[in-house]
Amino acid sequence: MADTRQKMTGAEIVLQALKDQGVEIIFGYPGGAVLPIYDAIFQQNAVRHILVRHEQAAVHSAEGYARTTGKVGCVLVTSGPGATNAVTGLTDAMLDSVPLVCFTGQVATHLIGSDAFQECDTVGITRACTKHNYLVKDVDDLARIIHEAFYVARSGRPGPVVIDLPKDIQFATGTYTSPESVEHRTYRPKKQGDAGRINEALDLLASAKRPVIYAGGGVVNSGDKACKLLQEFAHETGFPITLTLMGLGAYPASDKQFLGMLGMHGTYEANLTMHDCDVMLNVGARFDDRVTGKLDLFSPDSKKIHIDIDPSSINKTVMVDVPVVGDVAEVLQALLDGWRARKAKWDAEAKSAWWGQIEEWRRRQSLKYHQGGSIIKPQHAIRRLWELSKGRDTYITTEVGQHQMWAAQHFGFDAPKHWMTSGGLGTMGYGFPAAIGVQLAHPDALVVDIAGEASILMNIQELSTAVQYRLPVKIFILNNRYMGMVRQWQELLHGGRYSESYSEALPDFVKLAEAFGAGGYRAERLDQLDDTIKAMLADPRPCVVDIAVDEKEMCFPMIPSGHGHHEMLLGPEDHADEDAIEAGKILV
């Protein structure tokens, strides 16, 4: 740690604070308003800078790095357009609870408010999409602000924090303050759950006839201990368990008690279990609308327990019977200890009946698909990627669309922090830069961005970053020549009028990859698929793999927007006209 009496420039304070916070990598793009910091970066070797090609990609890369390591991701961008380009990534991190600290350059303090070159109101712009933000006005406050920012980003429900740093503050000389001498005056998230509420939860769980555990990304954010406790509690009780999109990997997909993902494109058994349960234990999920469907139809007859470290998430969307505010790991430990102390057992007759019903739902095989002929089904492409990569330490990121849902459905995740996707914001262009962050965190691992041909073009320029730093990230494109999810909704809800959803003028992805200095591969027929995947896996370079898949394939199961879990479409045979969908008559 640096001497707290040491005098430094603002730029030097930034680098010293990053070192003392344990930061190893920062993602960024230089510009005039942050050149003093870049000069300080040049004169040290402790913090590695990764040069991206767009500021949005810097934030997504930091998100991927943060989510797979549990550390705070760091970003450095310049003022004006540098800051505004970062806003999409910041909003993505805010909605998905990713801990980030983003340094934005700002014009000199005396120029703020004068419409100076590359000036914008960064604090005002980012207020709604960050957990907190700061405008530094005094160099002597800088070290304290940075240490506070890291504390805020990682504590409670994680999220992004912006530090807007005027250029004159970077040049000014001030006193450095070490992190152990900084305490946040007011922000003290509660970690231990209330004992009374935990007992109420145990009473409900012990009396349940048709229970379900519904777990989300908060379990992953809490850490490996929370994931282990979730598995232990599920095994101790014998309860069925389902995960949200953001929670995949928090509980092993191969476990017999796992029902699969729930929600709009979740499994039939997961959604029907949620709808018909009598006691629901929500662990670190936020009752997202893609999970609940129509609120007045969401699990209408259940008693609901909600564990969340963020008190503002409790009763925000769904009113619950037993709220428990606290860290998931701490509360799960208390529940597990309480269950064992009570020697509680799930009623044997009720257990047999409930699991019998669930097995009946499972027999519907809601994720089934038919791979026939030479045209590659997208589900099959993901299944083969999963099967051929078994035995390797594999991390998956995705862009946003049908491919994202197929990846969630068909790639089995047995460990946390191996699945990174944009859940809350649904950001096209997220997956590839996120994969770069993951690869930097795990240089020897296999990192694959499962993409669509439309989404990948959002941040394709990051191939330069991957090639420059020799990061062997694989881009696995399911190319159906449509913005697939848009096309699906247009077919189901808009009479098959495919307005602007056809991907015209696509590049030759193999030539594009080669132009960047990466590997390029293509499979157009089923008999080419396995060899193409094997070639990708054997190539030590960054790779782009273009898989031509069935253009008309749609992603099922699906709960139509505004409907309940019991109103699912299981496949093409459930297609109906708009009036039937709107009237809620599509039932299975």
Side-chain angles (χ1 to χ4, degrees):
M1 296 286 181
D3 189 330
T4 57
R5 297 165 295 178
Q6 188 173 351
K7 292 289 186 180
M8 302 180 183
T9 66
E12 291 168 340
I13 287 172
V14 170
L15 268 295
Q16 186 62 54
L18 292 178
K19 294 174 192 175
D20 287 352
Q21 287 292 338
V23 173
E24 297 175 339
I25 293 175
I26 188 166
F27 301 88
Y29 199 92
V34 284
L35 286 185
I37 298 175
Y38 273 90
D39 190 52
I41 288 172
F42 185 83
Q43 299 181 59
Q44 57 82 54
N45 293 312
V47 179
R48 183 184 183 191
H49 180 273
I50 301 298
L51 177 66
V52 298
R53 270 47 176 187
H54 192 284
E55 291 87 355
Q56 178 188 350
V59 185
H60 293 327
S61 293
E63 285 187 274
Y65 180 86
R67 288 175 61 178
T68 197
T69 62
K71 300 176 182 179
V72 177
C74 291
V75 180
L76 174 60
V77 299
T78 194
S79 62
T84 58
N85 280 348
V87 167
T88 297
L90 293 170
T91 309
D92 190 274
M94 184 68 177
L95 287 174
D96 285 347
S97 305
V98 183
L100 299 179
V101 171
C102 178
F103 295 88
T104 58
Q106 185 55 275
V107 300
T109 51
H110 70 278
L111 291 174
I112 292 175
S114 69
D115 293 333
F117 177 67
Q118 289 194 333
E119 180 194 1
C120 72
D121 179 9
T122 301
V123 169
I125 290 169
T126 62
R127 184 170 286 119
C129 63
T130 55
K131 190 174 178 183
H132 194 53
N133 59 17
Y134 300 86
L135 172 61
V136 184
K137 299 178 180 178
D138 187 332
V139 68
D140 286 322
D141 292 332
L142 179 56
R144 173 188 59 80
I145 286 172
I146 295 172
H147 298 317
E148 271 192 16
F150 275 83
Y151 171 80
V152 170
R154 68 166 69 97
S155 301
R157 179 182 175 183
V161 179
V162 161
I163 300 174
D164 199 30
L165 193 49
K167 191 168 183 179
D168 57 323
I169 300 296
Q170 299 170 46
F171 280 119
T173 300
T175 303
Y176 181 76
T177 306
S178 61
E180 67 267 22
S181 61
V182 174
E183 288 187 2
H184 199 283
R185 291 166 293 184
T186 58
Y187 185 52
R188 295 280 193 275
K190 182 181 178 183
K191 291 189 175 183
Q192 302 290 333
D194 179 80
R197 291 298 194 184
I198 289 170
N199 278 325
E200 289 179 45
L202 286 167
D203 289 341
L204 275 181
L205 293 167
S207 66
K209 305 296 183 184
R210 303 185 308 279
V212 67
I213 300 170
Y214 150 44
V219 181
V220 180
N221 285 342
S222 183
D224 293 346
K225 179 184 176 183
C227 297
K228 291 176 183 176
L229 285 168
L230 179 67
Q231 186 173 359
E232 196 173 348
F233 185 74
H235 287 169
E236 185 77 20
T237 60
F239 294 170
I241 179 169
T242 180
L243 297 172
T244 68
L245 178 71
M246 300 304 293
L248 295 177
Y251 189 89
S254 58
D255 191 275
K256 63 182 180 180
Q257 288 173 235
F258 183 55
L259 307 181
M261 182 179 73
L262 82 161
M264 180 171 282
H265 293 286
T267 66
Y268 185 62
E269 54 268 30
N271 283 327
L272 269 290
T273 299
M274 285 287 284
H275 183 268
D276 286 5
C277 72
D278 67 345
V279 175
M280 176 196 303
L281 175 62
N282 177 330
V283 187
R286 60 186 179 90
F287 290 112
D288 177 72
D289 65 289
R290 290 296 170 109
V291 164
T292 64
K294 191 176 181 183
L295 283 173
D296 60 3
L297 297 176
F298 174 66
S299 195
D301 300 320
S302 68
K303 297 288 186 180
K304 299 173 181 66
I305 304 161
H306 188 185
I307 302 168
D308 205 297
I309 199 165
D310 179 10
S312 70
S313 292
I314 303 288
N315 293 328
K316 182 178 181 179
T317 304
V318 172
M319 298 299 293
V320 299
D321 299 278
V322 181
V324 186
V325 177
D327 180 78
V328 162
E330 301 291 340
V331 176
L332 280 175
Q333 185 69 68
L335 285 175
L336 186 61
D337 292 344
W339 185 269
R340 287 171 173 166
R342 292 179 178 214
K343 298 182 179 178
K345 295 289 182 183
W346 183 8
D347 178 77
E349 185 177 344
K351 179 179 182 179
S352 177
W354 188 224
W355 272 112
Q357 176 62 78
I358 291 170
E359 290 304 323
E360 185 178 325
W361 289 328
R362 273 179 169 164
R363 284 193 287 273
R364 297 296 294 268
Q365 295 181 299
S366 60
L367 298 183
K368 67 183 177 184
Y369 61 92
H370 176 65
Q371 175 59 69
S374 63
I375 298 175
I376 302 168
K377 291 290 185 180
Q379 304 96 317
H380 184 70
I382 289 172
R383 284 274 179 174
R384 292 305 293 151
L385 174 64
W386 174 44
E387 290 160 358
L388 291 170
S389 62
K390 281 182 178 179
R392 302 183 62 162
D393 188 20
T394 304
Y395 295 79
I396 299 294
T397 70
T398 78
E399 308 296 332
V400 169
Q402 286 177 317
H403 62 274
Q404 176 190 29
M405 295 298 108
W406 283 317
Q409 292 172 341
H410 295 281
F411 201 104
F413 296 96
D414 279 342
K417 299 178 183 174
H418 284 64
W419 162 255
M420 272 63 61
T421 195
S422 175
L425 194 60
T427 308
M428 295 173 71
Y430 166 88
F432 182 33
I436 286 173
V438 174
Q439 190 78 77
L440 282 159
H442 307 282
D444 298 323
L446 171 64
V447 183
V448 183
D449 171 33
I450 296 177
E453 82 290 335
S455 277
I456 193 59
L457 292 177
M458 291 282 186
N459 273 315
I460 194 67
Q461 76 284 339
E462 296 310 310
L463 272 170
S464 286
T465 303
V467 170
Q468 176 178 340
Y469 295 101
R470 297 180 176 85
L471 303 172
V473 174
K474 315 303 182 189
I475 301 173
F476 192 75
I477 300 172
L478 301 182
N479 187 345
N480 59 10
R481 303 191 66 83
Y482 278 95
M483 298 175 203
M485 196 62 82
V486 174
R487 180 192 184 278
Q488 178 164 331
W489 281 64
Q490 287 173 336
E491 180 163 329
L492 290 174
L493 298 174
H494 299 281
R497 296 179 291 277
Y498 306 131
S499 177
E500 302 300 324
S501 57
Y502 183 67
S503 298
E504 295 194 56
L506 286 173
D508 181 324
F509 284 108
V510 172
K511 290 181 178 178
L512 182 64
E514 292 171 348
F516 277 99
Y521 300 91
R522 179 180 292 116
E524 297 177 332
R525 303 187 313 272
L526 181 61
D527 60 4
Q528 299 172 333
L529 178 62
D530 280 15
D531 287 345
T532 300
I533 294 173
K534 290 174 183 176
M536 175 195 81
L537 295 176
D539 197 325
R541 301 172 295 170
C543 291
V544 179
V545 181
D546 186 15
I547 309 293
V549 299
D550 190 339
E551 294 182 5
K552 297 180 180 179
E553 189 73 8
M554 291 203 286
C555 186
F556 292 106
M558 177 182 175
I559 302 173
S561 181
H563 290 259
H565 285 73
H566 60 304
E567 299 173 324
M568 296 182 69
L569 305 178
L570 291 190
E573 68 276 7
D574 290 326
H575 284 192
D577 61 24
E578 297 173 43
D579 292 338
I581 293 174
E582 292 303 318
K585 295 178 181 176
I586 304 174
L587 307 179
V588 291

